[in-house]
């Protein structure tokens, strides 16, 4: 994995006088066959913590890493509810693909606590329950070691949950669902969830105003002031939302001109939301083109555009309004190619991140 990490350096003088910090981006290779999904702000020693996943014993495993000011990484795999895979262990075949027990880390807060999910292997279970994936919190204890906490399910009939984000108060958001991997005709049922130590996991829909027309499917981001963004269904149409938990206010984020649906992925402390929205453009096959968007809490969203005439996605935003995401680029590959992007100050044009 090549991670683009901000390492803070002091800038002498400057128009404001005194010391001032500016971001300097270094490319750090963590380890082969790894993916980095989230990174903390640098601490007083210019070190960062990273959350992601890697390949361990032939399967995907949740990963944590530290990188110091010199860019030297230290990678560890996070605790899981299973014994290591051994020769002869059963695997699970889904539509012809080999599937095995796995875990993944998706987000990290400033305290170093990480959230994601783990497979729970039960050799006595039915096929539908064979891979019961659970939302997981890896708590960084006082000894600088990670402890695994199973966050459970939002409903006793569910068999899947995943934690997507965690804020500074250790409030976790994600999704909980009933999924049948073996039945192609089975219609999965997703519900946005919220977890906190005092309540455990609850269905986020239970916190909606009684007269709400929303059905919340995913909660993808939560900020320090308890605003949540994600995707749900408003009168049957897939729409991005921002839900303020402190005043029970939920807002439908407008779609880009000509589009009908959108999804919210992350938001910053100012409540600015990024995600992806359908546009009025079509690709060569006649399918809608989607663009990353920025919504600043009121009015129309900003179309962040794309590097080409194809789709883009805005995946995260920081407190300074800088946005990162991806864009498809012309390719002969069957699945296409994606290029990492950065939008400075939250406005187009996008800038490709170079390795």
């Amino acid at each position: 994995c090549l991670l683009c990490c901000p390492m803070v350096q002091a800038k002498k003088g400057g128009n404001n006088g005194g010391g001032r910090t500016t971001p300097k981006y270094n490319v750090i290779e963590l380890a082969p066959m790894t993916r980095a999904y989230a990174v903390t702000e640098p601490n007083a020693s210019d070190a960062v913590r990273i959350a992601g996943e890697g390949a361990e014993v032939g399967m995907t495993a949740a990963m944590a890493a530290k990188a110091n000011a010199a860019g030297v990484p230290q990678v560890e795999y996070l605790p899981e509810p299973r014994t290591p895979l051994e020769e002869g262990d059963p695997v699970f075949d889904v539509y012809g693909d080999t599937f095995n027990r796995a875990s993944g880390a998706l987000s990290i807060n400033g305290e170093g606590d990480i959230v994601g999910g783990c497979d729970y292997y039960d050799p006595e279970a039915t096929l539908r329950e064979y891979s019961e994936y659970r939302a997981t919190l890896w708590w960084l204890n006082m000894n600088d070691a990670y402890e695994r906490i199973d966050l459970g399910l939002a409903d006793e009939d569910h068999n899947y949950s995943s934690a997507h984000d965690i804020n500074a108060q250790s409030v976790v958001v994600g999704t909980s669902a009933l999924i049948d991997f073996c039945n192609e005709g089975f219609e999965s049922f997703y519900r946005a969830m919220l977890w906190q130590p005092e309540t455990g996991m609850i269905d986020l829909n239970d916190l909606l105003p009684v007269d709400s027309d929303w059905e919340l499917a995913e909660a993808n981001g939560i900020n320090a002031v308890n605003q949540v963004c994600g995707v749900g269904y408003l009168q049957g149409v897939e729409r991005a939302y921002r839900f303020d938990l402190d005043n029970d206010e939920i807002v439908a984020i407008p779609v880009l001109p000509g589009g009908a649906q959108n999804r919210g992925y992350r938001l910053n402390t100012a409540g600015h939301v990024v995600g992806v929205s359908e546009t009025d453009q079509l690709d060569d096959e006649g399918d809608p083109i989607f663009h990353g968007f920025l919504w600043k809490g009121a009015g129309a969203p900003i179309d962040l555009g794309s590097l080409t005439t194809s789709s883009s996605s805005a995946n995260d935003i920081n407190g300074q309004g800088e946005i990162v995401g991806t864009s498809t680029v012309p390719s002969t590959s069957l699945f296409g190619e994606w290029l990492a992007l950065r939008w400075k100050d939250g406005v187009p044009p996008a800038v490709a991140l170079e390795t």
Side-chain angles (χ1 to χ4, degrees):
C1 168
L2 297 179
L3 176 70
C4 192
C5 277
M7 299 298 177
V8 177
Q9 63 176 6
K11 181 179 180 181
K12 297 181 179 179
N15 294 333
N16 295 329
R20 182 184 170 202
T21 60
T22 57
K24 174 185 177 183
Y25 291 88
N26 296 332
V27 177
I28 302 169
E29 182 174 357
L30 295 179
M33 300 297 291
T34 57
R35 297 185 182 97
Y37 292 138
V39 62
T40 63
E41 294 287 341
N43 63 16
S45 301
D46 286 351
V48 294
R49 288 186 180 271
I50 300 144
E53 62 187 24
E56 182 190 33
V57 201
M59 70 188 78
T60 303
M63 174 199 74
K66 293 185 290 186
N68 62 22
V72 178
Q74 178 183 342
V75 176
E76 66 175 297
Y77 288 100
L78 299 172
E80 296 183 353
R82 61 163 174 80
T83 56
L85 184 68
E86 298 177 356
E87 186 176 355
D89 277 0
V91 295
F92 181 39
D93 188 79
V94 185
Y95 312 142
D97 294 326
T98 300
F99 178 86
N100 216 317
R101 292 163 285 163
S103 62
L106 298 177
S107 186
I108 185 170
N109 66 10
E111 304 300 316
D113 301 326
I114 293 173
V115 293
C118 288
D119 272 324
Y120 280 69
Y121 170 63
D122 182 357
E124 304 299 326
T126 64
L127 278 178
R128 182 181 68 79
E129 297 167 334
Y130 184 100
S131 177
E132 188 169 278
Y133 197 80
R134 296 285 192 91
T136 303
L137 165 64
W138 287 278
W139 173 63
L140 188 63
N141 64 27
M142 297 294 292
N143 297 320
D144 203 37
Y146 281 101
E147 299 180 21
R148 179 183 56 82
I149 301 174
D150 174 9
L151 302 187
L153 302 164
D155 189 284
E156 62 180 10
D157 291 330
H158 290 180
N159 65 345
Y160 172 93
S161 63
S162 178
H164 297 166
D165 200 12
I166 180 172
N167 68 7
Q169 293 77 39
S170 296
V171 181
V172 179
V173 295
T175 190
S176 181
L178 175 62
I179 299 175
D180 192 334
F181 292 105
C182 299
N183 185 353
E184 293 189 56
F186 184 83
E187 185 174 351
S188 298
F189 183 71
Y190 290 85
R191 306 286 283 184
M193 70 81 169
L194 178 142
W195 181 94
Q196 51 189 343
E198 299 81 9
T199 63
M201 187 181 294
I202 60 175
D203 187 332
L204 197 58
N205 291 272
D206 293 342
L207 302 182
L208 289 171
V210 293
D211 58 348
S212 174
D213 292 326
W214 280 95
E215 180 180 322
L216 306 182
E218 297 178 8
N220 294 324
I222 183 168
N223 63 16
V225 293
N226 290 324
Q227 292 175 320
V228 178
C229 73
V231 61
Y233 294 91
L234 183 60
Q235 299 177 342
V237 179
E238 188 176 87
R239 293 291 302 276
Y241 67 85
R242 190 187 70 186
F243 188 8
D244 192 325
L245 300 178
D246 291 340
N247 63 17
D248 297 329
E249 180 185 10
I250 186 167
V251 179
I253 298 173
V255 296
L256 293 176
Q261 55 186 325
N262 56 359
R263 301 172 66 89
Y265 288 154
R266 283 289 194 272
L267 74 172
N268 62 13
T269 305
H272 299 171
V273 179
V274 295
V276 64
S277 173
E278 187 179 19
T279 69
D280 59 356
Q281 304 172 42
L282 301 177
D283 62 20
D284 294 339
E285 298 181 356
D287 296 322
I289 288 176
F290 288 78
H291 279 177
F293 73 83
L294 166 65
W295 182 67
K296 293 189 174 182
I302 298 172
D303 186 342
L304 296 175
S306 178
L307 288 182
T308 64
T309 56
S310 55
S311 293
S312 66
S313 175
N315 299 336
D316 204 357
I317 180 172
N318 67 12
Q320 290 71 48
E322 294 182 322
I323 300 167
V324 291
T326 57
S327 176
T328 55
V329 294
S331 171
T332 57
S333 169
L334 176 63
F335 301 104
E337 291 185 14
W338 292 80
L339 190 64
L341 300 181
R342 172 174 172 250
W343 289 271
K344 183 175 175 57
D345 300 322
V347 295
V351 177
L353 293 176
E354 299 180 355
T355 59

